Amino acid sequence: MLRTGAAGDVREQTRTVLDQAAHENFPVAPFFLPRAWRTDLMAVYGFARLVDDIGDGDLAPGGGDAVLLGLDRAQEGGTSRSSAAESGGDRLALLDALEADLHRVFSDRAPGPRHPLLRRLGPTVRRCGLTPEPFLALIEANRQDQRVSRYGTYDDLAAYCELSANPVGRLVLGITGTSSPERVRRSDAVCTALQIVEHIQDVAEDLGRDRIYLPAEDMKRFGVTEADLAAPSGGASVRALIAYEAERARELLNEGTSLVGSVHGRLKLLLAGFVAGGRAALQAVAAADHDVLPGPPKPTKLSLLREVGATLRREG
């Protein structure tokens, strides 16, 4: 049975996970969408955020989420689990338990899923006819984060984005009933771009987790070392590297933007918001002279709205 304190912790964590939607570069479930879409998008967001929080080590071993998923270690031995290897093992165990709970979402057998965010996901899966694959890919991306902390080439990084980012766009298309091979291709370009933008913004934070999502081949090309990325601010070589990666993200956004013009109504506005979020974030990076090391440059709401308008005019 879930302890009362742990249950309170999980309720608070669930609220925290869903509240994080307001801080993303793009609108997750804006007010202008039909209520059913908003509910379904937030259910998917809650799952994706939970997976990332596990993969990033933001959920303590033995906490309420672990208890719900059948991994109550809070009372085990009373010993500290502080090494990186043990922490990675805890995260992998949580991800395995989360995958088992995900399978309960797609099963007709009792009992149903244990975690409230996955119970919230169940009606969305059934209503929209979603398949397990995109959700499993998100879990696998976070497993990869426990094993891989550097990427040699852009192709390696793009393969990671295929797991970590592209499934989200495919789920949005599934929820809105607009999936087609061409839209999936365009959506993948946008989602990979948004992931690269996030990597650019979060270089310092990622390095603090001993992760670098800038391809090693690009770092070598611009003469950037890991020590350069650990500096309080970026030198000329670091800023040139960030500008290069930003241009790559911009080209991907351009490739995927016609996705916006392929749909109509409120979905068109939602997808324009995704594209605009990436473009506004890139503008913020450029305004910081591509120096992302002091902290992630963030777009203003005004710049986001301007980019939404520009995207709609181009794809109207």
Side-chain angles (χ1 to χ4, degrees):
M1 179 179 292
L2 183 63
R3 298 187 301 275
T4 302
D9 290 345
V10 170
R11 285 194 295 270
E12 180 61 31
Q13 174 65 20
T14 299
R15 285 194 296 269
T16 300
V17 165
L18 296 175
D19 286 347
Q20 286 174 288
H23 303 290
E24 299 291 349
N25 280 335
F26 48 85
V28 173
F31 71 92
F32 57 78
L33 293 179
R35 181 183 297 274
W37 282 8
R38 295 202 308 271
T39 298
D40 293 335
L41 289 169
M42 285 302 295
V44 166
Y45 176 82
F47 174 84
R49 190 70 261 168
L50 176 62
V51 177
D52 281 351
D53 285 348
I54 292 173
D56 288 342
D58 293 336
L59 303 181
D65 295 277
V67 173
L68 272 173
L69 295 171
L71 292 175
D72 183 4
R73 294 180 174 179
Q75 306 300 321
E76 280 191 10
T79 58
S80 172
R81 303 176 59 84
S82 59
S83 75
E86 287 174 332
S87 297
D90 287 331
R91 295 174 197 176
L92 287 169
L94 271 170
L95 290 169
D96 288 347
L98 182 64
E99 180 175 331
D101 213 30
L102 176 66
H103 287 303
R104 296 184 189 101
V105 172
F106 288 90
S107 173
D108 294 330
R109 299 178 183 177
R114 297 171 174 172
H115 197 286
L117 286 171
L118 275 78
R119 290 198 295 271
R120 182 186 180 104
L121 184 63
T124 291
V125 163
R126 292 187 290 273
R127 183 163 49 243
C128 303
L130 303 179
T131 63
E133 286 75 18
F135 301 101
L136 292 170
L138 295 173
I139 293 175
E140 188 57 33
N142 280 272
R143 285 199 184 102
Q144 185 166 313
D145 277 332
Q146 312 314 310
R147 303 188 300 263
V148 180
S149 59
R150 307 291 189 276
Y151 290 86
T153 69
Y154 171 70
D155 287 344
D156 294 335
L157 185 65
Y160 170 74
C161 294
E162 178 69 20
L163 296 172
S164 67
N166 298 0
V168 176
R170 298 182 184 198
L171 286 167
V172 170
L173 294 177
I175 286 170
T176 57
T178 54
S179 185
S180 71
E182 180 60 17
R183 285 184 179 132
V184 166
R185 188 178 75 82
R186 300 291 185 178
S187 171
D188 286 353
V190 170
C191 289
T192 294
L194 293 176
Q195 181 77 91
I196 291 173
V197 171
E198 184 177 320
H199 290 161
I200 290 170
Q201 291 175 302
D202 294 341
V203 169
E205 179 182 337
D206 290 335
L207 188 62
R209 301 180 190 274
D210 191 31
R211 298 176 187 168
I212 297 177
Y213 295 101
L214 303 170
E217 63 181 4
D218 295 345
M219 291 176 62
K220 182 178 180 180
R221 173 181 175 180
F222 287 91
V224 173
T225 67
E226 293 192 16
D228 294 329
L229 299 181
S233 61
S237 59
V238 171
R239 287 184 281 111
L241 170 63
I242 296 302
Y244 178 78
E245 304 301 343
E247 182 58 29
R248 175 174 272 157
R250 185 175 290 103
E251 290 174 357
L252 282 167
L253 283 174
N254 290 341
E255 178 184 340
T257 298
S258 61
L259 174 67
V260 176
S262 74
V263 298
H264 304 282
R266 287 177 280 187
L267 178 58
K268 188 186 193 77
L269 186 54
L270 176 68
L271 298 184
F274 293 162
V275 172
R279 286 186 168 143
L282 289 173
Q283 285 183 356
V285 169
D289 198 19
H290 298 96
D291 186 4
V292 298
L293 299 188
K298 294 290 187 180
T300 65
K301 289 185 178 179
L302 179 59
S303 67
L304 176 59
L305 289 173
R306 285 174 174 166
E307 281 299 322
V308 168
T311 300
L312 290 172
R313 285 192 297 273
R314 283 191 295 265
E315 299 297 327

